[in-house]
Amino acid sequence: MKLIIKEYLTMLKESKELDILLPDLLLQMGFDVRVSPSIGVRQYGVDVEAVKGENGEIYLFTIKRGDIDRKNWDGTPQSVRQSLNEIEDTYIPNMLAKEYKNKKKNIIVVTGGEMNQKITPNWEGYKKCNKDKNISFDFWGGNQLSLKIERYLLNEHLLSPKLSSSFRKILALLEYNSYEFTELNKILEEMFIDDMQVGERSRDDRIEKKFRTVNLMLNIIYYWAKSNNNIKPAILCAEKITIASWGMLKKYSLFKNNVLIKEFKKIYDTLEEIYGDYFEKIKPYTEIENGLCINVADFSINSINLFEILGFLGIYGFIKEKLLEVQKTIIELIRKHKCLLNPCFDNQIIDITLAVLVISKDITTNRKFLSSWITSMIECVCFAYKEGMYFPISSDDYDDLFECNINKKLTKEELFDVSTLIPILLQLCCFNNLDDIYDEIQTMLKNMDFGKCDFQIWYPNKDTEEKMYKNSNAVLETGCTDSEVDIQISAKEMKNRIQLIQKNSVSSDEISAIKYGFNVLPLIISRHYRMPVFPMYWQDLLLNKK
């Protein structure tokens, strides 16, 4: 594990990552962190200030990137020597609190790399020249940090040898897109096991440590994925860890525990960073005709890949404030990839809904595009069903898709027995006041014979939240279904139906993640575990408009 940690540390940049990791490490080591890194604020050499011990010794940390060599030892404003001088000349006399002026001060240089042997004499010379009974110097390089991280953040009390082995396996298999992260499920299940047998304070302390540990693991996974030039596995892990972590808060109703909420927010921030990295990587290809189609002739594989990307972008539209940029990217993706007009699985309505909700945030600008996209999807569904191939099957099994479209062993009646896609698209038209498009779609549907297909929409109930944070599909065990939805009723009648059902449905403030400001979390669960998007995300807004 030390080698893994050491390699991870060498990837970190001073300004963002190591200065986030160090305070967590110090807290686990028993330090009281008084000052944390701040971007845009002059710090006079000190990135982190901490206190430890009964005597209240002061520890002043200056964080540097990579190996310490001649280049970054001296001669620039950010060099090691310049930082050390600023700490002694300015920070200690002017910035340090009065009660610590006479305490022993430990100045520590921290880096994910090591100190070049050629610089060692300079370092030793500097320590001798600045020797003081109240000031000492130390260096924490990659080797020392690795040992400390393993001991305090990834120790056997938090991560057993068996789980450490599972973690190493995750990193080894990270580059394979078919890997399903069963080891990560095992780690989260064991780490987040029931803690009720211990006292409340002890339990909360343990959860705090576990949150720091899983966030460190997520960051290591992220950097491994980046080194493989494949961010997608990191997104999947980030979603899984974020969902499980909120599940712990929900389990013990810890939403008002500010310390734990702060630790959860760090995990969420890592998720946001990974999503942002993925977005920047994918964005240029959305502007190229079929730029994100896998180099195969199989329409089904391209469809699966592209709708997954659409779902990722939809989630990012809820996470990121740059809404206009995300909207434009989603629209370009759809325009340049015709596969996104023809869903081949019914559950791809999840990804479609995420994208529609993001695009709808500026419906005035995007009305024409959204109308065209929804109409085109219905046209494709109708045509594909008539042809008996490449229509959105109710199963989520690729083998069924193959048996229907290639081997012709399964019929359209067998695989189109349920549809959530069509009624949800109709409701999304209502949500955006696209009554003219609703009527146009109905004209197409009137000419179709879908046999005994049951058009339905799933709703969560009071038991759903207890299940949805676990590694399972809550739709199989909880919720209720509005079955046999009449797709021939008018837009006004559909809106009245929504209003009637909403009166008897779970409200948004009964979902803890929404209630406490993490509105995107149930959407992430929907995308990750293929749980239908809660209708409240469009129905509540529709009823408010009315």
Side-chain angles (χ1 to χ4, degrees), residues 220-245:
I220 293 174
I221 289 169
Y222 174 33
Y223 280 92
W224 240 254
K226 282 176 77 172
S227 68
N228 291 332
N229 197 31
N230 183 10
I231 305 295
K232 177 185 163 183
I235 287 186
L236 300 178
C237 291
E239 288 180 338
K240 201 175 289 289
I241 288 171
T242 305
I243 292 166
S245 299

Side-chain angles (χ1 to χ4, degrees), residues 129-163:
C129 290
N130 293 273
K131 189 177 180 182
D132 185 285
K133 65 178 182 179
N134 277 332
I135 297 178
S136 68
F137 297 88
D138 200 358
F139 174 75
W140 290 6
N143 287 330
Q144 262 191 292
L145 275 179
S146 299
L147 291 170
K148 293 179 188 298
I149 289 169
E150 185 179 42
R151 179 179 176 186
Y152 293 101
L153 284 172
L154 296 173
N155 63 58
E156 61 184 13
H157 297 295
L158 293 169
L159 205 63
S160 66
K162 183 180 177 182
L163 294 187

